[in-house]
């Protein structure tokens, strides 16, 4: 059976999971795993930009991650602040535009300021978009978008909701990758992943390298995306008759 060839993904989204287990394997504190996770993210950003990916979205801190032990939460907040100071100049020179996606009101004033200035510093970049989902939850996003429409007295339609969402500035993800071996979505991109291809790998996030990314992209390329149609329709659409 012939399947339609799959174009490269325009938008890849990643649940960067497994930092804690990576550290545990090495008898290190969990925060050492998160630090290594930042290194892995830098490598992944470079690899995606080099492969012509237009949008990379990563899950860095979920609405539910506040329930972790207080020193892990404060360590993660501190790590984010330090990573921004160190990485933003590189993102600027690499042409990567940064967006933070998530609820900001419950972040500290200093953190809000840091996120805003990082976004402003990269605002003119056009090579690739990097969305960092931080204090993000898919349910939060759907609810805040609905609330925004209601406050403006607008009717709630799929198109308006999609535009009002915190991810409204980018197309939906084509490929959602989760590292760390769990096969769940954990409140990530609940709306936007409706037709994404899902890819789960046992690799822990700090170990997710270029080869692992290429394996995910190759797996995606072999899939047939039908969007509700039949396989025959998809093959016919992608192969113009002559
Ligand atoms: C993902 O790694 C990073 C965050 C959630 C901040 P984890 O910290 O969840 O790593 P594991 O799942 O405990 O190994
Ligand atoms: C998902 O990972 C959130 C991030 C990667 C930021 P978790 O480790 O928090 O997910 P669960 O708790 O195992 O579902
Ligand atoms: Mg985890």
């Amino acid at each position: 059976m012939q399947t339609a060839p799959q174009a490269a993904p325009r938008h890849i989204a990643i649940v960067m999971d497994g930092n804690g287990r990576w550290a545990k394997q090495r008898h290190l504190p969990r925060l050492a795993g998160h630090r290594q996770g930042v290194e892995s993210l830098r490598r992944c950003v470079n690899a995606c930009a080099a492969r012509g990916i237009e949008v990379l979205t990563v899950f860095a801190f979920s609405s539910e991650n506040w329930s972790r032990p207080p020193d892990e939460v404060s360590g993660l907040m501190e790590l984010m602040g330090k990573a921004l100071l160190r990485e933003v100049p590189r993102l600027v020179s690499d042409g990567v535009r940064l967006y933070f996606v998530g609820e900001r009101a419950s972040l500290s004033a200093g953190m809000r300021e840091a996120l805003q200035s990082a976004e402003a510093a990269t605002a003119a970049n056009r090579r690739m978009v990097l969305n960092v989902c931080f204090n993000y939850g898919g349910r939060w996003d759907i609810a805040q978008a609905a609330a925004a429409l209601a406050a403006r007295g607008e009717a709630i339609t799929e198109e308006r909701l999609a535009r009002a969402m915190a991810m409204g500035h980018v197309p939906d993800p084509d490929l959602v990758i989760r590292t760390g071996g769990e096969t769940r979505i954990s409140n990530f991109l609940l709306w936007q992943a409706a037709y994404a291809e899902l890819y789960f790998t046992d690799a822990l996030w700090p170990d997710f390298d270029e080869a692992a990314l290429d394996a995910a992209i190759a797996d995606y390329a072999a899939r047939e995306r039908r969007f509700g149609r039949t396989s025959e329709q998809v093959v016919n659409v992608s192969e113009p008759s002559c």
Side-chain angles (χ1 to χ4, degrees):
M1 179 71 171
Q2 202 176 8
T3 56
Q6 192 55 63
R10 290 179 65 193
H11 180 175
I12 297 181
I14 308 183
V15 180
M16 307 185 290
D17 196 21
N19 295 347
R21 280 163 284 164
W22 183 93
K24 195 170 181 187
Q25 283 175 352
R26 288 161 180 77
H27 308 287
L28 293 169
R30 291 180 60 84
L31 210 58
H34 296 313
R35 260 187 239 114
Q36 200 58 38
V38 176
E39 300 300 312
S40 189
L41 177 56
R42 183 193 307 123
R43 176 172 59 193
C44 187
V45 169
N46 291 339
C48 285
R51 284 157 182 72
I53 303 300
E54 293 169 43
V55 184
L56 173 65
T57 298
V58 295
F59 204 3
F61 190 86
S62 76
S63 316
E64 291 74 28
N65 288 146
W66 294 107
S67 319
R68 293 193 175 197
D71 359 336
E72 182 167 349
V73 172
S74 58
L76 282 165
M77 294 294 149
E78 203 178 309
L79 185 62
M80 173 58 89
K82 285 188 180 153
L84 283 180
L85 287 178
R86 207 177 51 232
E87 304 297 334
V88 165
R90 203 189 318 254
L91 294 177
V92 171
S93 57
D94 289 348
V96 177
R97 180 166 189 179
L98 188 58
Y99 287 90
F100 287 95
V101 178
E103 198 263 339
R104 298 201 192 187
S106 49
L107 301 176
S108 70
M111 180 61 78
R112 287 201 299 271
E113 165 67 29
L115 302 189
Q116 212 170 352
S117 67
E119 286 180 333
T122 64
N125 291 352
R126 293 291 176 267
R127 184 167 173 221
M128 186 175 86
V129 165
L130 172 61
N131 297 307
V132 176
C133 295
F134 188 70
N135 194 20
Y136 170 87
R139 288 179 173 179
W140 162 81
D141 198 8
I142 295 168
Q144 71 77 26
L149 294 185
R152 298 199 293 262
E154 287 186 37
I156 294 181
T157 65
E158 288 192 19
E159 291 70 24
R160 286 190 180 143
L161 262 182
R163 271 201 304 273
M165 278 197 213
M167 290 279 292
H169 58 290
V170 288
D172 285 346
D174 301 298
L175 170 61
V176 174
I177 298 171
R178 181 171 184 144
T179 64
E182 312 293 356
T183 46
R184 55 178 169 256
I185 206 79
S186 300
N187 203 10
F188 189 46
L189 304 181
L190 296 183
W191 177 276
Q192 295 83 356
Y195 263 101
E197 296 298 323
L198 307 180
Y199 180 85
F200 298 98
T201 169
D202 288 336
L204 302 174
W205 173 248
D207 295 326
F208 188 83
D209 58 9
E210 289 89 350
L213 175 68
D214 285 335
I217 294 174
D219 197 274
Y220 170 88
R223 310 253 186 117
E224 183 178 71
R225 302 185 77 187
R226 290 193 285 276
F227 298 98
R229 292 171 295 169
T230 67
S231 190
E232 288 72 17
Q233 286 176 299
V234 175
V235 171
N236 288 339
V237 165
S238 64
E239 280 184 358
S241 52
C242 43

